[in-house]
Amino acid sequence: AQKITQTQPGMFVQEKEAVTLDCTYDTSDPSYGLFWYKQPSSGEMIFLIYQGSYDQQNATEGRYSLNFQKARKSANLVISASQLGDSAMYFCAMREGLSYNTDKLIFGTGTRLQVFP
Amino acid sequence: DAGITQSPRHKVTETGTPVTLRCHQTENHRYMYWYRQDPGHGLRLIHYSYGVKDTDKGEVSDGYSVSRSKTEDFLLTLESATSSQTSVYFCAISLSGRSFGTEAFFGQGTRLTVV
């Protein structure tokens, strides 16, 4: 079963507008962490933001915020004031389990965001 | 930047030949991972390691083996490469499994083509 689902293969947004990238996850573990990574065309993976399952507030990092809805098992990434440099592939990922050895970081299939002037 | 080096960065090999990809870190991180990235599939976990000589399978481990004899090195071996293993391979490292907020740092990737 897919643990991380990103239903938007591609998204377009105009520069300076906000955009939301969707991510839903599946876990029965009460303890887990959710991550977003950016992959520009150059190929490197860049960590953007993290949300823990017990965090009371939504995570924010500059123009990035994570809209965490625990009951719906969603962790959408919101990018405010989009810039041309935000054009990239975005991946949602999850780490679950408290077991010492269970540190699998599982990724979704990604959303390609294109920002146009 | 996290000290992660993948080698080689590019490789073309023939079907049926063995291939070993190396991931080397200078950060002394406990956890190391191998992923493959394919269009439409995102990043899929192949194997990971939670310490020296401690490894476990990921989602797509068939056809791959790994070894970690030193903290700093994590090797991925394709015993007999097939065309379906043509992909971009990423190594990643992470500090600890006890801290959910510890992000993984990625290497630059290895583009492997099996012909």
Side-chain angles (χ1 to χ4, degrees):
Chain A
Q2 189 75 12
K3 291 256 186 181
I4 297 285
T5 302
Q6 296 181 253
T7 57
Q8 307 155 313
M11 291 281 287
F12 288 90
V13 65
Q14 189 167 30
E15 199 176 8
K16 301 180 184 177
E17 297 293 312
V19 62
T20 298
L21 307 184
D22 294 341
C23 173
T24 57
Y25 58 92
D26 180 28
T27 181
S28 57
D29 198 309
S31 301
Y32 52 90
L34 297 157
F35 302 80
W36 278 92
Y37 282 82
K38 172 184 179 181
Q39 186 181 43
S41 58
S42 52
E44 71 265 35
M45 294 289 289
I46 303 167
F47 165 72
L48 295 178
I49 196 167
Y50 162 78
Q51 179 84 44
S53 60
Y54 294 118
D55 292 345
Q56 296 298 311
Q57 294 187 325
N58 288 343
T60 61
E61 289 287 348
R63 295 186 298 110
Y64 303 108
S65 61
L66 202 152
N67 183 2
F68 182 47
Q69 298 188 39
K70 196 170 182 177
R72 298 179 62 183
K73 293 188 177 179
S74 73
N76 298 339
L77 177 70
V78 180
I79 305 175
S80 63
S82 297
Q83 302 172 356
L84 296 178
D86 292 334
S87 294
M89 196 76 168
Y90 289 81
F91 292 100
C92 181
M94 177 175 68
R95 172 183 279 134
E96 60 182 341
L98 277 175
S99 167
Y100 181 73
N101 296 335
T102 305
D103 192 23
K104 297 181 181 182
L105 185 60
I106 304 299
F107 284 78
T109 53
T111 296
R112 183 168 298 282
L113 176 67
Q114 296 188 57
V115 182
F116 59 93
Chain B
D1 291 344
I4 311 170
T5 305
Q6 291 186 232
S7 58
R9 293 291 313 279
H10 302 271
K11 186 170 182 67
V12 180
T13 192
E14 293 187 349
T15 299
T17 60
V19 177
T20 295
L21 308 183
R22 181 185 184 227
C23 179
H24 178 77
Q25 61 146 328
T26 58
E27 307 295 323
N28 201 34
H29 282 21
R30 186 178 188 94
Y31 286 79
M32 299 185 76
Y33 313 82
W34 277 108
Y35 294 89
R36 59 177 291 174
Q37 182 176 14
D38 305 287
H41 293 278
L43 276 82
R44 292 181 290 176
L45 182 64
I46 305 171
H47 282 279
Y48 70 105
S49 169
Y50 45 91
V52 173
K53 298 185 180 179
D54 291 323
T55 65
D56 203 354
K57 297 179 180 180
E59 309 164 86
V60 290
S61 59
D62 288 348
Y64 302 94
S65 63
V66 290
S67 67
R68 191 169 178 199
S69 58
K70 299 184 290 185
T71 299
E72 57 266 35
D73 289 325
F74 193 32
L75 304 180
L76 176 71
T77 298
L78 291 66
E79 300 292 344
S80 177
T82 67
S83 58
S84 64
Q85 293 175 313
T86 292
S87 186
V88 178
Y89 291 85
F90 282 97
C91 174
I93 64 174
S94 180
L95 263 175
S96 168
R98 293 295 184 95
S99 171
F100 285 111
T102 305
E103 72 266 30
F105 299 95
F106 283 79
Q108 293 298 97
T110 294
R111 184 172 296 276
L112 177 67
T113 303
V114 183
V115 298

